[in-house]
């Protein structure tokens, strides 16, 4: 009887070792280094503003080499997304801007299906990154704010505009 109990406990331990990482992975998929923004069409401008800082050495091209418009995804960030953006409804267009005061930043936004990726680099004459695009499906988006060079720490403000 003791031998059977030991076998059963061993099997439970083995099963737990498989299940716990799966649960942890799905829970961590919804975590971010900084804030989560939850927005619906008509949101107040202040609801679309958050902040954070860069400093990672993980190449964002490892997430996706090119975005849905074939634009290169460049820069270095943390492997964990900096922000989670939850769109409660469909948006016809959105603009997402990084403001460090003009430092060289990059953006990568991974859509709810994980295949739809948008990447951004310089905005006009500014080195700060932005993405302005149409057809934002309802769902959860992961946002990475990066820098052109690895390990550069910059404080930034992230703004989502309709």
């Amino acid at each position: 009887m003791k031998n059977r109990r030991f076998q059963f406990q061993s099997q439970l331990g083995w099963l737990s070792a498989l299940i716990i990482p799966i649960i942890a992975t799905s829970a961590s998929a919804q975590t971010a280094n900084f804030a989560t923004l939850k927005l619906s069409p008509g949101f107040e401008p202040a609801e679309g503003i958050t902040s954070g800082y860069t400093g990672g050495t993980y190449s964002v091209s490892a997430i996706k080499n090119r975005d849905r418009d074939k634009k290169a995804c460049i820069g270095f960030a943390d492997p964990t997304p900096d922000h989670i953006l939850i769109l409660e409804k469909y948006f016809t267009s959105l603009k997402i801007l990084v403001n460090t005061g003009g430092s060289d930043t990059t953006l990568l936004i991974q859509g709810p299906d994980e295949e739809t990726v948008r990447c951004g680099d310089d905005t006009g004459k500014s080195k700060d990154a932005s993405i302005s695009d149409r057809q934002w499906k309802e769902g959860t988006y992961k946002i990475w704010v990066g820098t052109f060079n690895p390990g550069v720490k910059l404080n930034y403000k992230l703004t989502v505009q309709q």
Side-chain angles (χ1 to χ4, degrees), residues 5-62:
R5 184 179 299 152
F6 176 75
Q7 283 180 325
F8 180 71
Q9 287 174 338
S10 293
Q11 289 172 346
L12 279 179
W14 179 80
L15 187 59
S16 295
L18 286 176
I19 292 173
I20 290 171
I22 292 169
I23 293 169
T25 300
S26 62
S28 69
Q30 299 301 317
T31 61
N33 293 327
F34 305 108
T36 294
L37 297 172
K38 196 172 191 179
L39 304 173
S40 291
F43 67 88
E44 292 295 319
E47 294 176 275
I49 299 173
T50 188
S51 61
Y53 59 86
T54 64
T57 57
Y58 178 76
S59 176
V60 297
S61 65

Side-chain angles (χ1 to χ4, degrees), residues 119-134:
C119 293
D121 193 9
D122 302 344
T123 305
K125 292 182 181 179
S126 172
K127 292 280 188 186
D128 274 320
S130 70
I131 294 173
S132 183
D133 204 0
R134 299 192 163 285

Side-chain angles (χ1 to χ4, degrees), residues 76-128:
F76 296 89
D78 194 86
T80 303
D82 293 306
H83 304 278
I84 300 293
L85 173 62
I86 300 170
L87 299 180
E88 296 183 302
K89 303 231 182 220
Y90 174 85
F91 281 80
T92 55
S93 66
L94 285 175
K95 185 170 189 175
I96 297 156
L97 306 123
V98 176
N99 184 358
T100 62
S103 295
D104 203 354
T105 56
T106 64
L107 264 173
L108 186 143
I109 302 173
Q110 186 178 45
D113 61 6
E114 297 197 5
E115 286 301 313
T116 302
V117 171
R118 294 169 167 98
C119 293
D121 193 9
D122 302 344
T123 305
K125 292 182 181 179
S126 172
K127 292 280 188 186
D128 274 320

